[in-house]
Amino acid sequence: MKNQLLEEAKRELVNGHSKKRHPFRYFALATNENGKPRQRTVVLRKTLLDLSLVFYTDSRTQKIRDFQNNSEFSALFYNPKKLLQIRVVGKAELITDKEQIATYWHTIQESSRKDYTTNRTPGTPIKNPDDVAYKSKENYFCPVKLIPNTIEYLRLKRPNHLRVLFSRMDTDWSGEFLVP
């Protein structure tokens, strides 16, 4: 049964990036900023075969600085129709391979590429939203790979909720049931 639940978690994560309206498309990502938790919503762009997750960001954001200081993360996904929560914990890795970056860059719609080209760093105060200016050639696109150490599956259901913690050892996953 545990293997079936891990397979279900994998399917849901893959559907999160492959199906536009899937609830796992947007997830809460937590990092550590000087000992304090910091959360934000990001877009799931890819689920790799090893269950690593990929999202994109501007290389000047606080989350990048957080990862440079402490690569640990927690990601939370929730599907309200299925009452299914998946929590992924592990270490983040900035993707620096130029070919890989180019491959991911070409998956972004032309109209969305400007999000990675602002003159000022994301989070910089401005007087008016129309004050945002963009660079024409340069970009700050940064794909990030989230490498899971654990995946926690929680299904809310009756008569009993179901909770399993999956832990990775090299390339294998083992699971143990937890009290919900």
Side-chain angles (χ1 to χ4, degrees):
M1 178 180 196
K2 287 183 251 183
N3 285 345
Q4 291 171 317
L5 298 176
L6 180 61
E7 289 304 314
E8 179 186 358
K10 286 180 188 179
R11 265 193 322 277
E12 292 294 320
L13 290 167
V14 168
N15 287 340
H17 74 81
S18 65
K19 295 185 176 179
K20 271 241 189 278
R21 301 206 185 281
H22 194 282
F24 281 15
R25 183 166 183 77
Y26 301 96
F27 66 96
L29 174 67
T31 58
N32 184 321
E33 181 186 7
N34 301 322
K36 294 183 178 151
R38 185 174 171 95
Q39 292 179 292
R40 78 280 289 152
T41 301
V42 296
V43 179
L44 178 61
R45 300 295 184 164
K46 189 87 175 148
T47 304
L48 305 175
L49 291 175
D50 68 353
L51 292 181
S52 291
L53 310 170
V54 177
F55 75 94
Y56 307 153
T57 192
D58 183 305
S59 62
R60 301 167 295 169
T61 60
Q62 180 63 47
K63 65 181 120 357
I64 295 298
R65 290 191 298 277
D66 292 349
F67 286 142
Q68 288 168 338
N69 292 324
N70 180 346
S71 64
E72 293 178 338
F73 75 88
S74 177
L76 187 66
F77 299 83
Y78 185 67
N79 185 330
K81 286 188 175 137
K82 294 186 175 184
L83 299 177
L84 175 64
Q85 173 182 288
I86 303 289
R87 188 167 63 96
V88 181
V89 175
K91 297 206 179 271
E93 190 177 276
L94 305 184
I95 295 173
T96 56
D97 179 79
K98 290 192 186 314
E99 282 181 35
Q100 248 185 317
I101 292 170
T103 299
Y104 285 128
W105 178 251
H106 291 294
T107 67
I108 300 173
Q109 292 179 0
E110 199 71 40
S111 60
S112 297
R113 290 183 182 179
K114 70 176 179 43
D115 296 338
Y116 306 98
T117 66
T118 57
N119 278 342
R120 295 183 184 162
T121 300
T124 301
I126 52 177
K127 291 190 187 315
N128 184 319
D130 295 330
D131 290 347
V132 178
Y134 302 93
K135 299 182 180 200
S136 59
K137 303 248 186 263
E138 192 175 358
N139 73 67
Y140 300 96
F141 177 70
C142 182
V144 179
K145 182 161 81 167
L146 303 174
I147 304 164
N149 297 325
T150 63
I151 296 175
E152 188 174 309
Y153 173 106
L154 174 63
R155 166 84 64 166
L156 304 175
K157 63 179 198 163
R158 294 287 172 227
N160 299 311
H161 301 322
L162 187 57
R163 186 174 174 192
V164 185
L165 178 65
F166 296 98
S167 301
R168 179 159 65 186
M169 301 295 272
D170 299 317
T171 59
D172 294 325
W173 289 90
S174 64
E176 64 179 332
F177 290 107
L178 302 175
V179 175

